[in-house]
Amino acid sequence: MITGKNYIGSQLKASGNKTFKTFNPQLNTENPWLFVEATPTEIEETVALANEAYKVYKNCPGKEKAAFLNAIADEILALGDELLAVYCAESGFPKGRAEGERGRTILQLRSFADMVAEGNWVEATIDTALPERLPIPKIDLRKMVVPFGPVVVFGASNFPFAYSTAGGDTASALAAGCPVIVKSHSMHVGTGEMVASAVIKAAQKTNMPEGVFSNLNGGGVAVGGSLVRHPLVKGVGFTGSIKGGRALFDLASQRPEPIPVFAEMGSINPVVLLPQALEQKSASWATAYAGSITLGTGQFCTNPGLLLGIKSDALSQFVTQLSSEIEKIAPSCMLHPTILNNFTNGKKELQQQDGVTTVAEIKSEIAPNYAAQTVLVVNGKTFLENSSLHQEVFGPFSLIVQCENEAELVAIIDKLEGQLTGTIIAEESEIGNYTNVIAALQNRVGRLIFNGVPTGAEVCPSMLHGGPYPASSDSRFTAVGIHAVKRWIRPVSYQNWPNALLPIELQDENPLGILRLVNNKQTYSHIEKCQEKPSFA
């Protein structure tokens, strides 16, 4: 069901004359579908519709939003194998990857549906009045979170489902009560358009307001820039490069009314390899990390791009074993010729740095748009002195740093930019001797991993997918899991309001039966008279 048009509310429109196509990296040719870039008029219409929808949708009961989110999941599944085929044609990924990512997207939608149906997420907090308190009477105050307005979501190149049209940013914003305008990624517009059709159908079936969701196409940066600058847009979600995320962040900051940009950007995800772990299980860790580095052709934001160890015979053995294991893995296809070109140039730049040695690289001839996985080695002193070695090479690549001692290892971690993940490979008997390493790593990352690989981000409440800049633009928030909703809300306090005029979540009777903090006590009950002594604290 590919039309080559823009979804504006529930309508398909294509009045522009600027067209483009997507690319099939496996076949090394353009896909046949022609897409039309959104015009300035269409952008204005889209944002105006979203703003009108916000006035209604922000008050939509949790159970109705849950029905909408579940309906989106149902409609995506109803697209069946046709959707998977378009996904594969535009990404180069195999069908199994498409099915897995679709499943993750469905899980995200249903998780947010469960959250809003339950209702506790609004963080209702109530402090009842004490008019008899002396010398100053205590006023009645009640607080909860509310959605802040229309949100623009940018599709991610490497996750056409899970971080794009109906992915985590969209699902969390809709759960919060914010209408969403998706700027579809130019590399998988056909996939985005099919998913958008599912969202639109779900909105119609559940009687959501016109404009609660729109999907706009664009082959360059013009459409996205216009959306971020629009005064009725109140927030932005982005997953991609540091360059792209920073450009959006700067653009949003320069508006007369600056707005938040929640960008998940670059990360090389350092892995610390402690000595006893390598002495005991070097071969198994080499196999595990060869698989992690090449998973999805290395096109994960959590790809382990930096391995840190202390010089020893065990570390040397690990380098040899990892090199051998990674060269056994058949190269795979990257998302697009542009991404392959960036990967090739990025690794060549690092290979040409003084003191860097290539220890593994596929040398045989490979198919067009396939990536030759590569591992480099450098000593700790050189890494500390050359900040260009810190840069992310997006693809199947990793740099091993051989440190002289623990002090140099800690110094390297301290000098790293912010990261999504940090991993420690250790025997339990030795980890207690490296508290300085653990503390340094915790200070630089959003997720600490013990004896595992960083690739993969479980969709659950305890997941933190974010980290200090430039891993993300705001380290206080996650892009995965139900707490991602906190990006699209703001708190509001109500002072001395009549009970009947309060939002239903804050009314005395607690008609929704949600968990609330009432006079500093968590309770599902209705409000009783406060027994606090009337004294001034």
Side-chain angles (χ1 to χ4, degrees), residues 380-395:
K381 183 176 183 294
T382 302
F383 185 84
L384 276 170
E385 293 173 349
N386 187 351
S387 61
S388 66
L389 295 174
H390 301 196
Q391 71 184 36
E392 179 185 22
V393 178
F394 187 69

Side-chain angles (χ1 to χ4, degrees), residues 271 273 276-293 307 314 317-323 325-326 328-329 425-427 451-453:
V271 178
L273 304 157
Q276 288 183 27
L278 294 185
E279 290 170 6
Q280 298 292 324
K281 301 174 183 175
S282 176
S284 62
W285 285 122
T287 300
Y289 270 86
S292 183
I293 291 165
L307 308 181
Q317 182 182 34
F318 172 81
V319 171
T320 301
Q321 290 168 331
L322 176 64
S323 301
E325 290 297 322
I326 206 165
K328 293 177 185 177
I329 298 172
I425 304 299
E427 291 293 299
N451 282 353
V453 296

Side-chain angles (χ1 to χ4, degrees), residues 291-331:
S292 183
I293 291 165
T294 56
L295 184 66
T297 326
Q299 298 168 121
F300 285 96
C301 46
T302 53
N303 189 61
L306 182 67
L307 308 181
L308 305 170
I310 298 172
K311 286 183 180 179
S312 66
D313 290 341
L315 179 59
S316 298
Q317 182 182 34
F318 172 81
V319 171
T320 301
Q321 290 168 331
L322 176 64
S323 301
S324 175
E325 290 297 322
I326 206 165
E327 289 182 348
K328 293 177 185 177
I329 298 172

Side-chain angles (χ1 to χ4, degrees), residues 370-529:
Y370 277 52
Q373 53 262 30
T374 304
V375 178
L376 311 182
V377 171
V378 70
N379 66 50
K381 183 176 183 294
T382 302
F383 185 84
L384 276 170
E385 293 173 349
N386 187 351
S387 61
S388 66
L389 295 174
H390 301 196
Q391 71 184 36
E392 179 185 22
V393 178
F394 187 69
F397 171 92
S398 198
L399 173 65
I400 302 173
V401 180
Q402 297 176 320
C403 305
E404 286 293 334
N405 49 43
E406 181 187 353
E408 188 173 74
L409 172 60
V410 171
I412 286 173
I413 296 171
D414 284 339
K415 198 170 180 179
L416 289 177
E417 297 78 3
Q419 308 292 331
L420 291 170
T421 74
T423 303
I424 294 182
I425 304 299
E427 291 293 299
E428 290 191 22
S429 59
E430 69 177 325
I431 188 66
N433 299 323
Y434 291 89
T435 55
N436 289 338
V437 173
I438 298 171
L441 201 58
Q442 182 194 48
N443 193 48
R444 305 309 305 136
V445 309
R447 175 163 51 111
L448 278 170
I449 301 162
F450 182 72
N451 282 353
V453 296
T455 39
E458 182 71 28
V459 180
C460 67
S462 299
M463 173 55 63
L464 191 288
H465 191 65
Y469 182 87
S472 63
S473 56
D474 194 325
S475 62
R476 297 170 297 172
F477 299 95
T478 179
V480 174
I482 59 173
H483 295 146
V485 74
K486 294 184 178 181
R487 297 173 296 170
W488 319 115
I489 56 179
R490 64 182 183 89
V492 174
S493 282
Y494 295 82
Q495 181 173 322
N496 284 343
W497 275 73
N499 186 61
L501 297 181
L502 284 165
I504 192 170
E505 294 89 347
L506 298 177
Q507 291 177 5
D508 288 350
E509 299 79 12
N510 193 14
L512 297 178
I514 61 174
L515 182 64
R516 308 188 296 185
L517 183 67
V518 179
N519 296 322
N520 293 316
K521 293 182 179 180
Q522 296 281 358
T523 178
Y524 288 96
S525 301
H526 61 80
I527 291 177
E528 298 178 357
K529 292 292 182 180

Side-chain angles (χ1 to χ4, degrees), residues 18-22 33-37 185-186 189 217-219:
K18 187 174 183 180
T19 60
F20 62 100
K21 292 182 178 182
T22 57
W33 317 298
L34 192 66
F35 300 100
V36 181
E37 183 162 295
H185 197 283
S186 58
V189 184
N217 299 329

Side-chain angles (χ1 to χ4, degrees), residues 44-58:
E44 284 293 331
E45 183 181 351
T46 300
V47 179
L49 274 175
N51 188 57
E52 288 303 309
Y54 169 65
K55 298 172 184 177
V56 176
Y57 188 61
K58 67 179 180 179

